[in-house]
Amino acid sequence: MNEHYFFKRLHGIQDDIRRLQSAAFALGASNYRDYPENFLELSLDTAVRAEKLACKLRHLIGDYGQIQRAPLMERVADAQGVTVAREGDALAITIPRLLPKSRKPRGSEFINQPLHYALAQYCEANTIDKFRECAVCFVHVYDENLSLGRIRDYDNLELRHILNTISTFLMTDDSGALCDVFNTTELGETDCTRVYIMPQEQLPGFIAKLKNSPNFMSNFTDFS
């Protein structure tokens, strides 16, 4: 191991930790009511710094081979709360956070690595017949206690890399000829993303069930 380069990178990460602390303190001192735009900018800055820091630490550990990738990703997936479970003929994946913006590649990596591991572990422990023709439903759940103005356009979310990762393990192909993709939004107790993969014929009934939920967005009109 090149210890000099290792500690050089580690010192850079330590500097990033100090910057993250400063950003968090600035966020705590900001006035949301009087300066909402400043509060939003500080919130985004703090969150992005934290995600970049996590990815840098993963790379540092992985590059120097002190910890094998599998146990590292096991702990990361567990810490993030990524889960994969069967619900009837469908498979349900829960990512306990909103998907990142499509312009934030580090955000995609932050989620994709533990998601990849969780799917690999699930497929290893269970007999999986990959879907040939299927429907994929992304349910974007926003914390009901926060402003509805946070809700983003679907084309601003990082869906492609997430779908590619899911397709690797659960689908023969994510081509439009074989895969229907549906997005919807709900309110809930906390931010998260739920992804359902199911036979195509089940999608209409699944959507109808979602629309009957009290958390379905059509039941809310105040987007302030």
Side-chain angles (χ1 to χ4, degrees), residues 19-192:
R19 295 188 186 98
L20 175 60
Q21 288 177 323
S22 297
F25 282 129
L27 178 62
S30 63
N31 188 318
Y32 170 74
R33 294 186 180 278
D34 293 340
Y35 305 102
E37 292 183 0
N38 184 57
F39 181 85
L40 177 60
E41 184 61 32
L42 286 170
S43 299
L44 291 173
D45 178 63
T46 305
V48 169
R49 286 180 184 276
E51 293 189 5
K52 287 182 177 180
L53 179 59
C55 291
K56 284 184 177 181
L57 279 167
R58 287 183 201 166
H59 286 302
L60 179 65
I61 293 171
D63 289 348
Y64 286 91
Q66 302 305 301
I67 298 178
Q68 295 298 313
R69 179 180 178 83
L72 172 61
M73 284 299 104
E74 180 180 7
R75 293 196 179 192
V76 171
D78 183 64
Q80 288 196 12
V82 178
T83 62
V84 184
R86 181 166 289 280
E87 294 187 6
D89 293 332
L91 281 170
I93 300 167
T94 300
I95 302 168
R97 52 165 290 146
L98 296 169
L99 297 187
K101 292 183 178 180
S102 56
R103 298 184 298 276
K104 301 289 185 181
R106 283 292 189 189
S108 174
E109 179 184 357
F110 181 80
I111 291 176
N112 250 324
Q113 289 183 346
L115 174 61
H116 188 281
Y117 176 83
L119 285 167
Q121 290 298 103
Y122 182 85
C123 291
E124 183 177 332
N126 298 272
T127 301
I128 298 295
D129 292 325
K130 287 190 174 184
F131 290 94
R132 183 178 184 277
E133 297 178 342
C134 66
V136 180
C137 181
F138 287 87
V139 182
H140 309 275
V141 183
Y142 288 81
D143 190 330
E144 61 190 355
N145 295 308
L146 302 177
S147 169
L148 298 183
R150 301 168 60 237
I151 297 175
R152 290 172 283 181
D153 294 342
Y154 297 130
D155 59 0
N156 285 335
L157 296 173
E158 181 49 78
L159 301 174
R160 180 171 61 87
H161 288 120
I162 300 299
L163 184 58
N164 285 344
T165 299
I166 293 171
S167 174
T168 298
F169 293 96
L170 304 180
M171 301 155 58
T172 58
D173 198 324
D174 60 358
S175 163
L178 300 173
C179 176
D180 294 332
V181 179
F182 176 77
N183 285 276
T184 190
T185 298
E186 287 187 355
L187 295 184
E189 294 181 357
T190 187
D191 289 346
C192 71

